[in-house]
Amino acid sequence: MQFSKFGEKFNRYSGITQLMDDLNDGLRTPGAIMLGGGNPAAIPAMLEYFHQASSDLLASGELVAAMANYDGPQGKDAFVKSLAKLLRDTYGWNITEKNISLTNGSQSGFFYLFNLLAGKQSDGSHKRILLPIAPEYIGYGDAGIDEDIFVSYHPEIELLDNGLFKYHVDFEHLEIDDSVAAICASRPTNQRVMY
C-alpha cells in the first residue's frame, strides 16, 4: 500500500510504538510490576466513586445523552465552563472557557498542541517546542509532522544516597528565543504541561 508522506512518517516504528509494545508485553508477563507509560493508579475509593457516578448518570439518562450527542468543538459547554470556574476559584487564574481545550487523550492532545504551535510557520520561520530537561518522554520523539520541532538541554544531575539521582533544569544554560513556540514540562509520572 502506498502512503502519503504523513502516512509514511506515522507508519514507521516510533518511540510511542516501542513504549506501547513494552507495556503490552508487561501485561502478558506474570509478576511484572508496571512502572511506566503514565498509567493511572487503580485506587479503590476512586473506582467506587466512578462506579457510583456512572450508575447515577445511567439512571438519570444523562449517560445516554453524553454518549449519543456530539459536544461542541471545544468539549461539553457545562464541563468547560465549570472547569474554568474551578481553576479561577482555586488558583486565582484569570481564565475563561476560551482558555481550555479538551482532547481525547494526552498523547493525541500533545500531538495537536505541538503541531499547532511548532514546525514550519506561515511566514517561513521554524518554531520549536522546548523540553527544558533531557532525557524526556520517549513518546514525543516522533510527534512532529515537521522534523526538528523539539529542542532540549542537558540537566543538572543531583546524586542522592543509595545510588539514586534526581534531574533538575539547568536554568543557567537554558536558552529561550523567538524560535521557541512553547515550553513543555514533564514530570516522572508522565503528566505534561504546556506554557
Side-chain angles (χ1 to χ4, degrees):
M1 175 179 281
Q2 183 174 352
F3 291 111
S4 67
K5 298 280 286 175
F6 177 89
E8 286 177 2
K9 177 175 178 58
F10 289 98
N11 194 41
R12 67 184 181 212
Y13 197 67
S14 64
I16 188 62
T17 309
Q18 179 182 346
L19 175 61
M20 294 299 112
D21 278 348
D22 290 347
L23 292 173
N24 191 43
D25 289 345
L27 291 172
R28 294 190 313 257
T29 304
I33 299 172
M34 302 296 285
L35 298 176
N39 296 335
I43 301 169
M46 290 308 300
L47 294 175
E48 177 55 34
Y49 173 81
F50 294 141
H51 177 77
Q52 186 59 53
S54 298
S55 296
D56 294 346
L57 287 171
L58 189 57
S60 70
E62 292 180 54
L63 185 61
V64 173
M67 294 171 59
N69 298 329
Y70 283 116
D71 293 328
Q74 192 178 354
K76 186 166 280 306
D77 275 351
F79 178 76
V80 176
K81 287 177 181 177
S82 295
L83 181 58
K85 182 180 181 327
L86 174 71
L87 294 171
R88 281 193 308 272
D89 294 349
T90 303
Y91 299 108
W93 295 351
N94 183 25
I95 66 170
T96 70
E97 63 274 9
K98 295 189 182 306
N99 301 105
I100 297 173
S101 179
L102 302 178
T103 67
N104 56 341
S106 63
Q107 190 70 33
S108 58
F110 274 81
F111 171 80
Y112 301 148
L113 285 170
F114 291 156
N115 289 288
L116 176 72
L117 300 170
K120 188 173 182 178
Q121 305 291 301
S122 58
D123 66 2
S125 65
H126 185 83
K127 299 277 188 178
R128 296 183 292 173
I129 303 295
L130 172 61
L131 305 170
I133 195 167
E136 190 42 275
Y137 172 56
I138 192 172
Y140 292 155
D142 301 300
I145 292 173
D146 289 338
E147 298 297 324
D148 192 32
I149 70 161
F150 297 106
V151 60
S152 189
Y153 293 93
H154 292 284
E156 290 181 353
I157 300 174
E158 177 186 3
L159 299 177
L160 304 172
D161 293 336
N162 300 319
L164 300 175
F165 62 91
K166 185 172 185 176
Y167 292 122
H168 296 279
V169 176
D170 184 355
F171 289 103
E172 203 170 295
H173 293 99
L174 198 64
E175 295 178 25
I176 302 173
D177 59 24
D178 289 342
S179 71
V180 174
I183 300 170
C184 179
S186 293
R187 35 184 262 178
T189 55
N190 196 23
Q191 295 175 340
R192 299 171 283 276
V193 178
M194 289 283 286
Y195 298 98

